[in-house]
Amino acid sequence: MIRTALLCALVAFSGLARGEFEPHAVVDATNPGGDTVVPTISEALRAMPGAEAGPYRILIKRGVYREKLAITRPDVHLLGEDRDGVVISWDDTGSTFGPDGRELGTWGSATLIISAPGFRAENLTVENSFDYAANLALPEDDPGRIQNMQAVALMTTGDSDRAVFKNVTVRGNQDTLFVDAGRHWFHGCRIEGHVDFIFGAGQAVFDNCEIVSRNRQNKNPTGYVTAPSTHVAHPYGMLFIDSRFLKESPEVPAASVRLGRPWHPKGDPAAEGSAVFVNCFMDDHIGPEGYAPISGVGPDGVRKWFEVDDRSRFFEYGSHGPGAIDSEDRPQLSPERAGWYTTDQVLNGWDPLSQDPEN
């Protein structure tokens, strides 16, 4: 019976129908059964053998899985049946209290936290479902109003490296995607948010992705796409290639979104963020003021502003569309310098296709 359920799941999932791609476990919230078909992703993760067993593939059937997950084992592959139909969802914020009675902060708010190498996700959605808009609409003195509205959907940390995301949606509002450790490759993905919604110190390539700005009512700017904190010793941070910078709805005003801000976590002077945009479509929500300053509180408790200056590593090349505006505030690369920004360079020789089961 278990074997039959596994085979049915394989047939339903395009690309995994051949025997060599057979998953080790199937997650099905509506029809669990036996030792290999389980109702939650958490249960499938608990049942995994040690890392010495090699890559572990978990097929996730359609459904909304309200789970907060931590991936601590190398080479875990989460393979969804349908990008829109498989949703991993949680709603922690920076102000949510953890088991120790202390606020989680940005680092603890993530729905999915990856801290081991070789992770892979495909054909699914990861979201932080915190209702930012409803909270923002509350009066400032409302006791129910959450003050720290950072709410991460997906985060890499610790020993994370060589993380692959194909046909994945990452959805949130403020601080959606925290790429803070190691190398990442996003292909055909959709990232949604508004304030600093792609941020962190890691090296990440976004290839043929949709980067979608959501509206933030009565705010100007309505949002900031990136907030890299790349260490000054690393020549590369975030690279967007052949991607489309879109707005979720017509309500996002023209010229109201900035492409980036130079994040300095805890005031770290060695963080000189890098975000580069090559051959990308820009809709009209991207304006002539491409970048903006950002503030941060240092170890001494003093808030400081970090400006976009000559040390900032924000560049474009080949932008097109109504938001591709010729402006002195949006530095452009020469063709020669644009040639330095490739997937191979940013990922330091790692070929993400080498761990693709379809190759």
Side-chain angles (χ1 to χ4, degrees):
M1 179 176 178
I2 295 171
R3 179 69 177 172
T4 301
L6 277 168
L7 290 175
C8 290
L10 286 170
V11 171
F13 183 64
S14 175
L16 292 179
R18 298 189 297 276
E20 65 267 32
F21 299 149
E22 183 172 318
H24 299 94
V26 175
V27 180
D28 189 345
T30 61
N31 190 32
D35 296 328
T36 12
V37 183
V38 294
T40 68
I41 303 167
S42 298
E43 190 168 339
L45 292 173
R46 286 194 298 268
M48 289 187 300
E52 66 279 358
Y56 197 80
R57 296 180 294 275
I58 300 172
L59 174 62
I60 308 172
K61 301 278 283 185
R62 292 181 182 87
V64 177
Y65 296 86
R66 181 165 167 73
E67 302 185 61
K68 187 179 177 79
L69 303 173
I71 306 296
T72 59
R73 178 201 189 274
D75 301 315
V76 174
H77 299 177
L78 301 183
L79 308 171
E81 191 176 39
D82 179 300
R83 182 170 84 169
D84 297 326
V86 175
V87 180
I88 303 169
S89 182
W90 199 254
D91 61 355
D92 280 344
T93 71
S95 287
T96 301
F97 289 102
D100 60 359
R102 303 175 64 181
E103 292 187 350
L104 292 174
T106 303
W107 277 260
S109 68
T111 299
L112 174 60
I113 302 174
I114 302 155
S115 58
F119 176 80
R120 182 183 187 87
E122 192 167 345
N123 300 329
L124 53 82
T125 291
V126 181
E127 71 173 13
N128 190 306
S129 58
F130 167 64
D131 195 338
Y132 186 103
N135 186 73
L136 190 65
L138 295 174
E140 288 280 354
D141 59 355
D142 190 310
R145 192 179 199 270
I146 291 172
Q147 299 303 315
N148 298 316
M149 292 186 281
Q150 301 90 343
V152 177
L154 171 63
M155 175 185 178
T156 59
T157 187
D159 292 327
S160 177
D161 190 29
R162 296 178 284 104
V164 170
F165 303 87
K166 290 182 67 177
N167 195 34
V168 169
T169 293
V170 186
R171 180 186 302 129
N173 290 286
Q174 181 173 347
D175 294 357
T176 302
L177 174 59
F178 196 178
V179 286
D180 207 41
R183 294 165 291 179
H184 315 70
W185 185 59
F186 294 83
H187 180 73
C189 294
R190 180 181 175 94
I191 319 297
E192 302 177 6
H194 49 50
V195 175
D196 305 330
F197 66 96
I198 304 175
F199 70 114
Q203 285 64 55
V205 173
F206 299 85
D207 182 357
N208 193 30
C209 291
E210 292 182 342
I211 312 300
V212 183
S213 291
R214 310 181 80 175
N215 199 23
R216 197 165 56 121
Q217 293 286 349
N218 304 317
K219 296 289 185 179
N220 188 15
T222 59
Y224 312 89
V225 177
T226 69
S229 56
T230 322
H231 193 278
V232 68
H234 289 288
Y236 302 105
M238 302 174 185
L239 175 62
F240 299 84
I241 304 175
D242 298 325
S243 292
R244 294 165 299 288
F245 287 74
L246 309 173
K247 52 187 182 181
E248 185 180 49
S249 70
E251 282 70 40
V252 180
S256 69
V257 173
R258 309 292 182 260
L259 284 170
R261 302 200 289 180
W263 184 37
H264 293 254
K266 299 181 180 178
D268 183 2
E272 292 293 347
S274 173
V276 177
F277 311 88
V278 175
N279 296 330
C280 293
F281 172 85
M282 306 281 181
D283 209 339
D284 68 0
H285 62 302
I286 307 296
E289 298 178 35
Y291 308 95
I294 189 171
S295 68
V297 177
D300 57 2
V302 177
R303 180 168 293 278
K304 178 182 178 180
W305 280 92
F306 296 92
E307 301 290 334
V308 180
D309 55 26
D310 292 342
R311 295 173 299 172
S312 301
R313 296 182 284 173
F314 294 111
F315 302 107
E316 292 175 74
Y317 179 77
S319 295
H320 52 282
I325 297 170
D326 186 4
S327 165
E328 63 180 12
D329 294 322
R330 290 174 59 172
Q332 303 293 312
L333 293 170
S334 67
E336 179 183 14
R337 292 187 65 194
W340 302 346
Y341 293 91
T342 65
T343 297
D344 184 65
Q345 291 279 32
V346 175
L347 300 183
N348 195 25
W350 165 54
D351 178 8
L353 295 179
S354 66
Q355 65 188 67
D356 192 330
E358 295 181 8
N359 288 339

